[in-house]
């Protein structure tokens, strides 16, 4: 008798039956209980056989439907049939459960929860920390997914190739037809810069997010366009940060200032980044808004002792509501032709951005000096 485990024999038999056409792409394979009875083995053995078959890409598990046969032709994606469940399971994907304390996450979840009260579905939160997207998809227990965390492009493409129904929330993948709900950073950046120009600012700095994100690219395009409208400009003050946090804003503004790129107004892609920049600015003796005006994004609660920021409300609750409605339309085969939704942020003016009272001539003369 050979040393090959029984579950491997069962897996090979199933693979051969798939190759011979007994089970075609989209068909359901026998359940673990059915296989246990057929081969007179324990259910644990047949569960392992099905798991191995899934790991090799020959099948995809679907909750409530069993293991569905994939197309084994080279380059073929697994078959996914539209969910017609009366109450589909919707997964909410986070990078880390610690994120639940961030107002960005809490407001999005509040919007999803509110919309779920009027729709037939169940919600589950998944944490992908220390888990490869390949393993997560293979073991999934959901019908569709709202991706709240930021995933690498390769992970998004993998889910698309595996026909996983998903909506990116705050993410995007330029050039690929994916469902996404996000803010319009291009128009928001342009609006902030034009407001700053009306207040007499000409040295306008923009602190964007990570360079790999579409929102950062859109913000940069808006930055260049408005600069062309404003005419002569002293220096290039668009900086991308490594993440969206306060520490990143602090580090980037310090580098900006030390390099002599000294704006009179700073537009940050996130409120916490703006507060980090303000901490660095205070170390250089700058006062807000007297010598530095600041505009953020997020409309988050103001930390104790901090100045209320002029900021953009990102409509996070609405993003949550729209993402859930869009995903359920996709699951029910009713998705619109254009599954990309852009929501325009709303500018809220507060005391951190005021008129630049410095004379323009002096501003040009002192372009490379400390304010």
């Amino acid at each position: 008798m050979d040393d090959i485990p029984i579950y491997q024999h069962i897996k090979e038999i199933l693979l051969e039956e798939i190759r011979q056409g007994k089970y075609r792409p989209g068909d359901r394979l026998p359940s673990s209980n059915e296989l246990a009875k057929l081969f007179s083995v324990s259910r644990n053995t047949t569960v392992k056989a099905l798991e191995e078959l899934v790991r090799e890409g020959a099948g995809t598990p679907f909750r409530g439907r069993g293991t569905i046969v994939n197309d084994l032709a080279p380059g073929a994606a697994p078959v996914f049939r539209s969910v017609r469940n009366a109450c589909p399971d919707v997964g909410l994907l986070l990078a880390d459960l610690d994120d639940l304390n961030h107002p960005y996450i809490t407001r999005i979840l509040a919007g999803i929860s509110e919309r779920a009260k009027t729709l037939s579905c169940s919600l589950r939160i998944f944490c992908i920390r220390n888990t490869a997207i390949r393993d997560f998809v293979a073991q999934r227990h959901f019908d569709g997914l709202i991706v709240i965390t930021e995933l690498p492009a390769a992970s998004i493409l993998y889910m698309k190739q595996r026909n996983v129904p998903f909506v990116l929330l705050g993410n995007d993948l330029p050039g690929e037809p994916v469902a996404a709900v996000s803010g319009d950073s291009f128009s928001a950046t342009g609006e902030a810069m034009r407001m700053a120009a009306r207040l007499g600012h000409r040295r306008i700095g923009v602190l964007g997010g990570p360079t790999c994100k579409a929102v950062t690219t859109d913000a940069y395009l808006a930055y260049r366009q408005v600069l062309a409208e404003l005419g002569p400009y002293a220096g290039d003050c668009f900086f991308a940060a490594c993440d969206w946090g306060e520490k990143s804003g602090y580090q980037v503004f310090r580098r900006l200032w030390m390099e002599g790129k000294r704006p009179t107004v700073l537009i940050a892609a996130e409120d916490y980044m703006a507060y980090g920049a303000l901490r660095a600015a205070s170390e250089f003796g700058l006062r807000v808004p007297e010598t530095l005006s600041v505009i953020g994004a997020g409309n988050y609660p103001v930390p104790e002792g901090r100045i209320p920021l002029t900021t953009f409300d990102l409509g996070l609750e609405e993003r949550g509501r729209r993402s859930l409605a869009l995903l359920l339309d996709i699951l029910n085969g009713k998705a619109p032709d254009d599954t990309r939704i852009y929501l325009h942020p709303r500018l809220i003016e507060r005391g951190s951005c005021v008129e630049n009272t410095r004379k323009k001539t002096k501003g040009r003369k002192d372009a490379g000096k400390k304010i």
Side-chain angles (χ1 to χ4, degrees), residues 18 41 81 102 138 149 233 240:
I18 291 172
V41 296
R81 293 173 176 173
H102 196 291
T149 188
Y233 177 77

Side-chain angles (χ1 to χ4, degrees), residues 38 52 60 108 133 143 164 302 312 361:
L38 179 65
E52 284 291 306
T60 301
I108 283 174
I133 195 67
D143 296 313
V164 177
V302 180
F312 282 92
T361 55

Side-chain angles (χ1 to χ4, degrees), residues 252-326:
V252 172
F253 189 85
R254 275 191 61 87
R255 186 171 73 248
L256 179 153
W257 201 260
M258 295 297 290
E259 292 177 359
K261 298 175 180 180
R262 301 177 175 181
T264 60
V265 60
L266 180 70
I267 301 167
E270 211 249 22
D271 281 355
Y272 290 135
M273 295 172 69
Y275 283 121
L278 288 178
R279 183 160 59 89
S282 67
E283 295 177 0
F284 291 107
L286 300 177
R287 300 184 308 279
V288 177
E290 293 84 356
T291 52
L292 177 68
S293 286
V294 180
I295 302 173
N299 192 26
Y300 300 146
V302 180
E304 186 177 355
R306 302 290 185 88
I307 184 173
L309 291 175
T310 291
T311 187
F312 282 92
D313 189 298
L314 303 177
L316 299 176
E317 292 86 353
E318 181 63 13
R319 290 191 195 186
R321 290 189 287 265
R322 297 285 288 273
S323 64
L324 179 59
L326 176 59

Side-chain angles (χ1 to χ4, degrees), residues 3 23 63 105 160 209 240 338:
D3 295 328
Y23 300 109
R63 185 175 182 273
I105 302 297
K160 184 172 180 288
D338 186 1

Side-chain angles (χ1 to χ4, degrees), residues 63 87-93 112 116 119-126 141-147 165-167 323-325 327-328 331:
R63 185 175 182 273
C87 186
D89 286 331
V90 173
L92 310 178
L93 185 61
I112 292 174
L119 299 171
S120 179
C121 65
S122 60
L123 302 176
R124 298 183 176 201
I125 292 180
F126 295 95
H141 300 288
F142 57 84
D143 296 313
L145 192 67
I146 296 177
V147 181
F166 66 87
V167 171
S323 64
L324 179 59
L327 179 61
L328 292 181
L331 291 176

Side-chain angles (χ1 to χ4, degrees), residues 4 38 50 66 80 98 104 112 115 159 209 244 299 322 327:
I4 299 176
L38 179 65
L50 289 172
F80 180 84
D98 292 342
Y104 177 87
I112 292 174
R115 191 71 177 94
M159 291 198 301
W244 307 100
N299 192 26
R322 297 285 288 273
L327 179 61

